[in-house]
């Protein structure tokens, strides 16, 4: 493949992923600032916040079902077509949220419609990540799979930056204007981003790996059955490895918005800007970490990040408790910007290297989305519940972060033993004009 076509694939993977996550994180942040007041109306503000977080978590539990549906399409029909469908679903749901009437206007139908659209979002994102990752990895030169596999992961933080920038601008409005119509603008504006993303994705070809599977005729009738029958161990490994990547992320990036404003007295604009700075740092570090994994191995990069997460849990909350803007910024940059970056940078490539091509979309999607459902969407809800139960103490939340790190360390111990076989198969799928980089291939 020429460099022009490779850049097109790179952009298609990154742009689509960024748009998907812009839509997704927009909901997470607005849930803490707006939805708890306009859609989940109760006499007790804390209950309204918990209901808003519950609606945020709900989509994570629908994501595995979206993953099953769209990974089936991806492993049966192709990566490209699946990505067009997932992006369309996500965009329509987000645009619809921006137009919804509030509880004051239509009563209980407001949260019902909001939750329905949130579930549609969950279905779309359930199939999106695996396709975007495979688009990058299955096109990548063998010696650069770590770098290219990090590209869709950059979409996570780019999407978050876009959402944070949009909301930061809107929060400059007077409180009444923001609560009435200002929060709606980013949701409606997302339609333009989706149109651009669809245009980019429709101009790419199917991946070489899937073309080879098609040519061989070795396409499973039910990829999910084959995956669970022959690759269930790899799925469990992926679920466990995902835990530390997803739970701390939503604590550092979503839960902290309500915690820092309600419990510590920081302004909304301050905390949103802090998260934005940290995600910019992450976005810069992700491709660096991905490229480094091509040289020294995925496992070493990943373990370094997990150990860092374990050690930083208590210092993070202690720094926030000082109620200093400077320490807030430093803590968020260290946790979300630096420690989290190596974990997420290698996660996707590591997953793709433990599944073979005919069930790769299904395998990585199941592991990723089930892990996200168990530990990701529930993280703000768990953190808020722990705070409520223990009278605002951050200690249980810090232990929760450490617990996720332990789970993922246990899972990662099994990666090397299960990866080499499928890694060799990925090598065979690559175009013959690529030279083998033994170090990048044999070290996971």
């Amino acid at each position: 493949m020429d460099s022009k076509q490779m850049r097109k694939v790179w952009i298609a993977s990154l742009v689509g992923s960024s748009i998907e996550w812009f839509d997704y994180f927009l909901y997470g942040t607005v849930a803490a600032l707006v939805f708890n007041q306009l859609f989940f109306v109760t006499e007790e503000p804390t209950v309204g916040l918990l209901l808003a977080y519950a609606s945020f978590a709900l989509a994570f539990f629908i994501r595995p079902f979206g993953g099953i549906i769209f990974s089936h399409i991806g492993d049966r029909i192709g990566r490209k077509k699946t990505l067009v469908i997932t992006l369309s679903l996500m965009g329509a749901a987000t645009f619809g949220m921006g137009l919804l009437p509030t509880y004051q206007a239509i009563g209980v139908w407001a949260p019902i419609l909001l939750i329905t659209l949130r579930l549609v979002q969950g279905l779309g994102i359930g199939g999106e990540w695996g396709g975007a990752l495979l688009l990058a990895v299955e096109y990548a030169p063998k010696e650069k799979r770590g770098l290219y596999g990090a590209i869709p992961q950059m979409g996570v933080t780019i999407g978050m930056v876009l959402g944070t920038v949009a909301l930061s601008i809107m929060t400059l409005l007077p409180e009444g204007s923001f609560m009435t119509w200002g929060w709606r603008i980013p949701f409606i504006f997302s339609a333009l981003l989706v149109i651009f993303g669809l245009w980019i994705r429709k101009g790419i070809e199917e991946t070489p790996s899937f073309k080879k599977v098609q040519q061989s005729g070795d396409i499973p009738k039910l990829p999910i059955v084959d995956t669970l029958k022959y690759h269930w161990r790899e799925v469990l490994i992926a679920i466990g490895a995902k835990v530390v990547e997803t739970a701390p992320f939503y604590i550092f990036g979503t839960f902290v918005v309500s915690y820092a404003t309600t419990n510590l007295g920081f302004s909304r604009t301050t905390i949103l800007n802090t998260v934005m700075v940290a995600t910019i740092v992450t976005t810069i570090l992700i491709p660096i970490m991905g490229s480094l994994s091509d040289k020294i191995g995925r496992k070493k990069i990943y373990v370094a990040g997990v150990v860092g997460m374990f050690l930083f849990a208590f210092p993070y909350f202690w720094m926030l408790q000082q109620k200093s803007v400077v320490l807030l910024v430093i803590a968020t940059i260290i946790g979300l910007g630096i420690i989290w970056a190596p974990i997420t940078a290698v996660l996707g490539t590591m997953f793709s290297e433990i599944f073979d091509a005919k069930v790769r979309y299904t395998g990585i999607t199941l592991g990723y989305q089930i892990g996200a459902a168990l530990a990701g969407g529930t993280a703000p809800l768990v953190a808020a519940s722990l705070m409520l139960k223990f009278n605002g103490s951050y200690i249980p939340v810090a232990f929760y972060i450490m617990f996720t790190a332990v789970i993922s360390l246990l899972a990662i111990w099994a990666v090397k033993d299960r990866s080499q076989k499928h890694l060799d198969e990925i090598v065979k799928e690559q175009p013959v004009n690529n030279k083998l980089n033994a170090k990048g291939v044999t070290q996971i």
Side-chain angles (χ1 to χ4, degrees):
M1 175 182 290
D2 59 37
S3 58
K4 183 178 179 181
Q5 181 68 10
M6 194 65 237
R7 281 197 300 271
K8 200 170 186 180
V9 170
W10 186 88
I11 293 171
S13 176
L14 179 61
V15 169
S17 180
S18 299
I19 294 169
E20 294 273 6
W21 290 104
F22 166 77
D23 291 353
Y24 208 66
F25 289 129
L26 195 59
Y27 185 101
T29 306
V30 173
L33 300 177
V34 177
F35 292 161
N36 59 323
Q37 299 179 51
L38 298 185
F39 289 87
F40 302 99
V41 179
T42 66
E43 294 182 1
E44 175 56 52
T46 303
V47 175
L49 180 63
L50 289 174
L51 288 174
Y53 277 145
S55 71
F56 178 73
L58 189 62
F60 281 80
F61 290 100
I62 203 70
R63 276 169 61 171
F65 295 99
I68 292 171
I69 294 169
F70 293 113
S71 62
H72 175 85
I73 298 172
D75 278 331
R76 290 277 301 165
I77 300 174
R79 316 326 192 190
K80 174 187 171 180
K81 293 178 181 177
T82 307
L83 288 172
V84 170
I85 298 171
T86 57
L87 186 57
S88 300
L89 268 182
M90 193 78 176
T94 306
F95 181 76
M97 287 178 185
L99 302 178
L100 278 181
T102 64
Y103 184 91
Q104 287 78 5
I106 60 172
V108 72
W109 280 105
I112 290 174
L113 290 173
L114 181 64
I115 289 173
T116 301
L117 291 176
R118 179 62 174 163
L119 292 176
V120 174
Q121 269 193 338
L123 286 174
I125 199 67
E128 161 64 23
W129 177 83
L133 174 75
L134 294 185
L135 192 65
V137 171
E138 292 184 346
Y139 264 119
K142 293 181 291 293
E143 69 277 8
K144 293 185 178 180
R145 276 199 312 272
L147 172 60
Y148 282 89
I151 289 171
Q153 298 301 88
M154 291 171 63
V156 178
T157 50
I158 289 174
M160 193 170 183
V161 168
L162 290 174
T164 305
V165 168
L167 283 176
S168 293
I169 293 173
M170 291 299 105
T171 55
L172 296 177
L173 292 168
E175 181 72 13
S177 298
F178 174 75
M179 295 299 291
T180 303
W181 57 267
W183 67 270
R184 298 179 183 271
I185 301 301
F187 286 86
I188 296 172
F189 175 73
S190 69
L192 298 177
L193 298 177
V194 170
I195 292 171
F196 175 69
L198 290 173
W199 175 70
I200 289 288
R201 284 188 168 178
K202 285 187 175 181
I204 58 175
E205 298 179 0
E206 191 51 78
T207 70
S209 295
F210 185 76
K211 284 182 179 179
K212 282 185 169 57
V213 173
Q214 282 182 314
Q215 291 168 3
S216 70
D218 194 21
I219 297 178
K221 291 183 179 180
L222 289 172
I224 180 102
V225 173
D226 282 16
T227 302
L228 294 178
K229 185 176 181 180
Y230 302 111
H231 305 280
W232 60 269
R233 292 181 183 84
E234 288 89 340
V235 172
L236 290 178
I237 290 170
I239 292 171
K242 173 66 177 171
V243 169
V244 77
E245 189 259 1
T246 192
F249 177 82
Y250 285 104
I251 291 175
F252 294 157
T254 301
F255 168 74
V256 71
V257 174
S258 62
Y259 174 66
T261 53
T262 304
N263 295 54
L264 304 179
F266 291 101
S267 70
R268 276 194 310 227
T269 302
T270 297
I271 185 60
L272 289 173
N273 287 339
T274 299
V275 171
M276 181 181 67
V277 170
T279 51
I280 291 173
V281 173
T282 309
T283 306
I284 294 170
L285 287 179
I286 284 174
I288 296 173
M289 294 295 108
S291 181
L292 186 60
S293 77
D294 286 321
K295 298 178 176 63
I296 68 173
R298 326 276 183 237
K299 192 171 181 179
K300 290 179 182 177
I301 298 294
Y302 179 88
V303 169
V306 176
V307 172
M309 191 68 72
F310 181 91
L311 296 176
F312 189 61
F314 273 94
Y316 170 75
F317 281 103
W318 179 86
M319 293 170 78
L320 263 57
Q321 288 291 321
Q322 307 312 303
K323 300 183 180 181
S324 161
V325 173
V326 174
L327 288 179
L328 170 70
V329 173
I330 293 173
T332 307
I333 288 176
I334 293 174
L336 182 58
I338 297 174
I339 295 176
W340 185 75
I343 299 174
T344 196
V346 303
L347 194 74
T349 308
M350 196 164 62
F351 285 2
S352 70
E353 290 173 341
I354 61 175
F355 292 97
D356 58 35
K358 64 182 180 181
V359 296
R360 188 173 294 145
Y361 203 141
T362 301
I364 65 172
T365 298
L366 278 178
Y368 189 92
Q369 301 302 351
I370 293 174
L374 293 176
T378 58
L381 184 61
V382 169
S385 300
L386 288 172
M387 285 279 187
L388 186 62
K389 183 174 182 179
F390 292 94
N391 300 317
S393 172
Y394 68 83
I395 293 176
V397 184
F399 275 123
Y400 173 62
I401 292 175
M402 295 171 74
F403 175 67
T404 65
V406 171
I407 291 175
S408 293
L409 282 175
L410 292 174
I412 200 66
W413 282 343
V415 166
K416 187 174 182 180
D417 294 336
R418 309 231 33 107
S419 61
Q420 189 60 49
K421 171 187 170 184
H422 301 308
L423 184 54
D424 292 339
E425 292 173 0
I426 292 178
V427 172
K428 294 176 184 178
E429 294 160 12
Q430 300 296 330
V432 294
N433 60 348
N434 285 331
K435 293 182 179 180
L436 181 66
N437 180 319
K439 194 170 186 179
V441 168
T442 59
Q443 285 192 303
I444 304 300

